[in-house]
């Protein structure tokens, strides 16, 4: 270490080579002065920084991003949650639903409906559209008709379904009671001043009116919200039953992803809902079930199946031309004037048509392509943005599938990745099993049999994560040759985010096990 300072640390240079120069007048007054008057110092060449630099330093993180013109007018119309005012190419299915549900507007119980179709065929959007029209028309004709929507992928147990429904009707009943009490109290106030205020009402005295208000207050106090856990199921059902039957109305309960409810909790919920009309006094209940699985009713009790599937409506996949019409209708609202090049919508439609006519996939593609174009700060979405969006969505799908795999499947997939990263080609089941076994021992996981590991490889093949082809080895029998069908680095990163697999520091010994065994 040296005691000397750099020039940068030593302070201003006062030598004759300094950038600071004395004025000639000051020098003439006192040539012997060694310390110049600071007021007379001329700073020749001192760079104090331009105003542009100052502006640059004060700019916010998002200023540059906000400078470009936005491409979207209303991005929300491209999301699955949006219900459009018109659904192209679903007129037949919508009319079928309306024909069945119109009986609710006459005060009768509509038939139960089961709606089938693959993902992205417009089932939920059409059902919500018809439901909104039904409620709007019921208000117009002053017929009490309500629709309640439950997503059974989220609310997937009998307790949760009944609790959610009970609380919805309890809250509605409380609102009705509050409105009724407010009206009666206004009448009571006038009747106390003038007895003729009761003329034309159902009450013949102030006492009768006060008794009705007390009864309503008591009804309101009796309604207790159902907790999400903790009650016996029969008590939850009783609360739901009492809440829905509090006053006259027709109720349509829409169960989206109904197969998930049956898969998780059996058909008890459907049995109770489909049979409750025989016990209700004031209200009537109809069920509208929506499912991606055409065969889920095979697992239902025959009595449930017969009452639930009174009417069935099938939504076929969209073709490329239909998808193009759907995208064009949404794009007209979602994007600014000329934000899309001519080939964007046809390409999105073509990609989605390959995915069994999935309109949801087509809308995701179009929205993601627009977002990518905005990030590039271009004023138009091009074909290249759609292709980038396709790759991004596919990668996101792979990440989600891998992230939700069971631990044993993750270990098998990790073994395959380790082999591929170490240059092994034509990977066979035995090689995967050897590394899998060592990985299990390392993280203290149960070791499955080789036959079961073969089954897990087949499942990964069906998910599109690996490609497993059975090849003949002549007199040595047959084996599966395995290769990855997904990006290696991204998939490995997802696997290592699992706390158990993330504990493995050195993978090389496990790859070496291929040769040792």
């Amino acid at each position: 270490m040296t005691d000397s300072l750099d020039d940068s640390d030593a302070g201003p240079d006062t030598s004759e080579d300094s950038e600071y120069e004395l004025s000639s007048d000051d020098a003439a007054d006192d040539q012997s002065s060694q310390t110049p008057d600071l007021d007379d110092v001329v700073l020749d060449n001192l760079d104090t920084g331009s105003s542009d630099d100052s502006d640059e330093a004060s700019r916010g993180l998002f200023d540059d991003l906000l400078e470009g013109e936005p491409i979207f007018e209303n991005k929300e119309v491209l999301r699955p949650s949006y219900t459009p005012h018109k659904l192209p190419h679903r007129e037949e299915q919508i009319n079928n639903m309306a024909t069945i549900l119109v009986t609710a507007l006459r005060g009768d119980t509509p038939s139960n409906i089961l709606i089938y179709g693959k993902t992205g065929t417009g089932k939920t959007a059409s059902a919500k559209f018809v439901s909104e029209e039904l409620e709007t028309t019921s208000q117009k004709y002053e017929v009490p008709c309500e629709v309640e929507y439950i997503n059974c992928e989220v609310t997937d147990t009998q307790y949760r379904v009944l609790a959610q429904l009970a609380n919805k009707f309890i809250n509605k009943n409380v609102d009705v009671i509050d409105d009724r009490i407010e009206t009666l109290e206004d009448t009571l106030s006038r009747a106390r001043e003038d007895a003729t205020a009761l003329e034309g009402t159902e009450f013949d005295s102030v006492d009768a009116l006060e008794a009705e208000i007390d009864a309503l207050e008591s009804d309101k106090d009796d309604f207790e919200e159902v907790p999400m856990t903790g009650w016996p199921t029969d008590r939850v059902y009783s609360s739901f039953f009492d809440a829905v039957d509090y006053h006259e109305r027709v109720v349509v309960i829409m169960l989206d992803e109904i197969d998930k409810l049956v898969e998780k909790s059996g058909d008890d919920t459907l049995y109770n809902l489909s049979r409750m009309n025989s016990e209700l006094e004031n209200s009537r209940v109809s069920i509208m079930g929506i499912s991606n699985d055409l065969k889920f009713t095979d697992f239902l009790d025959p009595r449930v199946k017969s009452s639930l599937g009174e009417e069935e409506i099938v939504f076929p996949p969209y073709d490329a031309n239909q998808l193009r019409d759907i995208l064009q209708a949404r794009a007209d609202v979602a994007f600014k004037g000329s934000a899309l090049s001519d080939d964007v919508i046809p390409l999105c439609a073509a990609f989605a048509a390959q995915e069994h006519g999935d309109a949801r996939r087509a809308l995701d593609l179009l929205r993601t392509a627009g977002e990518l174009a905005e990030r590039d700060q271009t004023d138009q979405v091009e074909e290249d943005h759609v292709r980038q969006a396709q790759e991004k969505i596919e990668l996101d799908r792979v990440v989600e599938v891998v992230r939700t795999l069971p631990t044993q499947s993750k270990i098998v997939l990790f073994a395959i990745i380790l082999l591929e990263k170490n240059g092994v080609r034509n990977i066979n089941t035995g090689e995967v099993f050897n590394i899998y076994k060592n990985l299990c021992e390392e993280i203290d996981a149960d070791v499955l049999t080789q036959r079961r590991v073969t089954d897990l490889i087949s499942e990964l093949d069906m998910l599109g994560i690996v490609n497993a082809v059975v090849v003949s080895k002549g007199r040595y029998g047959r084996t599966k040759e395995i290769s990855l069908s997904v990006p290696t680095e991204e998939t490995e990163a997802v696997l290592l985010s699992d706390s158990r697999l993330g504990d493995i520091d050195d993978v090389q010994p496990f790859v070496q096990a291929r040769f040792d065994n």
Side-chain angles (χ1 to χ4, degrees):
M1 176 181 287
T2 175
D3 291 331
S4 64
L5 296 173
D6 305 266
D7 291 340
S8 60
D9 297 326
D13 187 355
T14 57
S15 68
E16 61 182 3
D17 295 326
S18 171
E19 293 177 342
Y20 297 83
E21 297 180 1
L22 298 180
S23 66
S24 57
D25 291 339
D26 192 46
D29 291 340
D30 187 1
Q31 292 184 358
S32 63
S33 175
Q34 298 300 313
T35 307
D37 186 342
L38 292 179
D39 290 337
D40 295 325
V41 171
V42 177
L43 305 179
D44 285 341
N45 307 322
L46 182 63
D47 185 6
T48 59
S50 68
S51 61
D52 289 344
D53 292 338
S54 177
D55 290 344
E56 188 67 30
S58 66
R59 289 180 67 84
L61 176 63
F62 295 99
D63 289 333
D64 287 339
L65 299 175
L66 289 172
E67 277 183 354
E69 282 294 318
I71 286 177
F72 291 104
E73 188 74 52
N74 182 4
K75 192 192 297 187
E76 294 307 307
V77 303
L78 299 177
R79 297 192 184 278
S81 56
Y82 175 76
T83 303
H85 300 298
K86 184 179 179 183
L87 288 152
H89 306 294
R90 284 297 175 251
E91 292 82 4
E92 180 184 344
Q93 289 78 12
I94 287 171
N95 287 334
N96 286 346
M97 275 188 271
T99 303
I100 296 166
L101 294 175
V102 71
T103 56
L105 298 174
R106 302 188 183 107
D108 298 325
T109 310
S111 298
N112 296 324
I113 307 172
L114 278 181
I115 298 171
Y116 298 104
K118 292 185 177 180
T119 302
T121 51
K123 304 182 301 299
T124 302
S126 298
K128 284 186 173 181
F129 174 79
V130 173
S131 299
E132 289 174 7
E133 288 289 312
L134 180 66
E135 289 190 309
T136 302
T137 308
S138 74
Q139 293 168 9
K140 176 181 175 183
Y141 291 101
E142 297 183 347
V143 179
C145 183
E146 301 169 15
V147 181
E148 294 299 341
Y149 174 84
I150 301 285
N151 185 343
C152 297
E153 190 166 23
V154 179
T155 310
D156 59 356
T157 66
Q158 178 175 213
Y159 186 105
R160 290 177 185 169
V161 169
L162 294 176
Q164 190 168 325
L165 287 171
N167 289 335
K168 285 185 176 184
F169 287 111
I170 286 171
N171 291 332
K172 287 189 173 185
N173 291 343
V174 168
D175 290 341
V176 168
I177 291 171
D178 285 340
D179 290 343
R180 176 72 171 153
I181 289 175
E182 185 178 347
T183 302
L184 293 180
E185 285 180 339
D186 179 61
T187 304
L188 178 62
S189 177
R190 288 185 287 108
R192 282 172 175 161
E193 296 177 2
D194 180 4
T196 60
L198 293 178
E199 291 179 2
T201 71
E202 60 189 286
F203 305 102
D204 55 10
S205 68
V206 169
D207 289 343
L209 183 51
E210 289 176 337
E212 177 65 12
I213 293 174
D214 289 342
L216 288 169
E217 291 284 6
S218 177
D219 287 347
K220 182 178 174 181
D221 292 339
D222 288 342
F223 285 122
E224 180 183 0
E225 282 213 358
V226 180
M228 282 298 109
T229 58
W231 282 13
T233 305
D234 57 349
R235 183 182 174 188
V236 180
Y237 176 78
S238 178
S239 291
F240 161 61
F241 185 94
D242 292 342
V244 78
D245 204 34
Y246 181 67
H247 65 81
E248 184 180 341
R249 57 185 155 196
V250 177
V251 174
V252 178
I253 298 174
M254 192 192 307
L255 298 173
D256 201 358
E257 307 280 2
I258 190 173
D259 48 296
K260 299 290 196 300
L261 175 63
V262 174
E263 181 183 315
K264 178 80 177 284
S265 305
D267 57 11
D268 288 348
T269 311
L270 302 182
Y271 180 81
N272 289 328
L273 293 176
S274 63
R275 297 287 169 173
M276 67 187 300
N277 281 329
S278 60
E279 301 172 10
L280 292 169
E281 295 180 3
N282 299 315
S283 61
R284 290 291 177 265
V285 171
S286 175
I287 301 169
M288 182 189 296
I290 304 173
S291 173
N292 299 329
D293 184 359
L294 292 168
K295 296 183 178 179
F296 96 95
T297 55
D298 294 347
F299 304 101
L300 297 177
D301 181 288
R303 294 170 297 173
V304 177
K305 185 175 181 179
S306 63
S307 62
L308 188 64
E310 293 171 338
E311 298 281 354
E312 295 186 352
I313 300 175
V314 177
F315 280 64
Y318 294 109
D319 62 32
N321 290 329
Q322 291 173 332
L323 289 170
R324 192 178 302 183
D325 292 341
I326 293 168
L327 290 176
Q328 189 62 61
R330 299 283 187 102
D332 290 343
V333 182
F335 291 95
K336 291 187 178 293
S338 58
L340 300 181
S341 64
D342 293 339
D343 47 5
V344 166
I345 286 178
L347 185 58
C348 287
F351 276 136
Q354 295 171 2
E355 297 273 340
H356 58 255
D358 188 341
R360 190 175 300 174
R361 177 65 174 262
L363 292 167
D364 280 347
L365 260 177
L366 186 57
R367 177 177 51 79
T368 306
E371 290 170 346
L372 292 173
E374 273 195 336
R375 290 173 200 171
D376 288 347
Q377 294 189 321
T378 60
D379 52 10
Q380 193 172 52
V381 185
E382 304 287 350
E383 177 184 337
D384 189 51
H385 293 123
V386 178
R387 296 191 182 280
Q388 291 176 37
Q390 170 76 347
E391 292 176 7
K392 181 180 184 300
I393 290 172
E394 185 60 28
L395 180 59
D396 290 346
R397 184 194 72 84
V398 169
V399 167
E400 182 60 21
V401 170
V402 172
R403 189 183 63 79
T404 55
L405 285 174
T407 300
Q408 289 288 346
S409 296
K410 286 182 178 178
I411 299 172
V412 171
L413 179 57
F414 193 39
I416 296 169
I417 288 175
L418 292 180
L419 287 165
E420 281 223 347
K421 285 188 69 177
N422 283 269
V424 181
R425 297 292 175 264
N426 301 325
I427 301 167
N428 62 51
T429 310
E431 292 170 333
V432 174
F433 182 71
N434 286 337
I435 295 183
Y436 158 82
K437 192 166 51 176
N438 284 276
L439 287 171
C440 285
E441 291 170 358
E442 175 70 11
I443 64 174
D444 197 24
D446 294 337
V447 179
L448 304 179
T449 63
Q450 185 162 342
R451 179 182 291 276
R452 180 65 186 124
V453 169
T454 302
D455 292 339
L456 293 180
I457 292 171
S458 298
E459 290 174 12
L460 293 173
D461 185 22
M462 284 190 292
L463 290 170
I465 297 173
V466 303
N467 183 35
V469 181
V470 177
V471 296
S472 173
K473 295 292 185 179
R475 61 194 181 99
Y476 296 104
R478 297 188 304 169
T479 187
K480 281 185 176 178
E481 288 191 350
I482 306 153
S483 59
L484 278 176
S485 301
V486 293
T488 304
E489 299 298 330
E490 290 84 350
T491 307
E492 183 181 18
V494 176
L495 290 175
L496 291 176
S497 68
D498 186 299
S499 57
R500 298 190 72 178
L501 291 175
D503 290 338
I504 301 173
D505 296 324
D506 185 9
V507 297
Q508 194 56 42
F510 304 115
V511 180
Q512 188 61 38
R514 169 182 184 255
F515 306 104
D516 296 340
N517 289 275

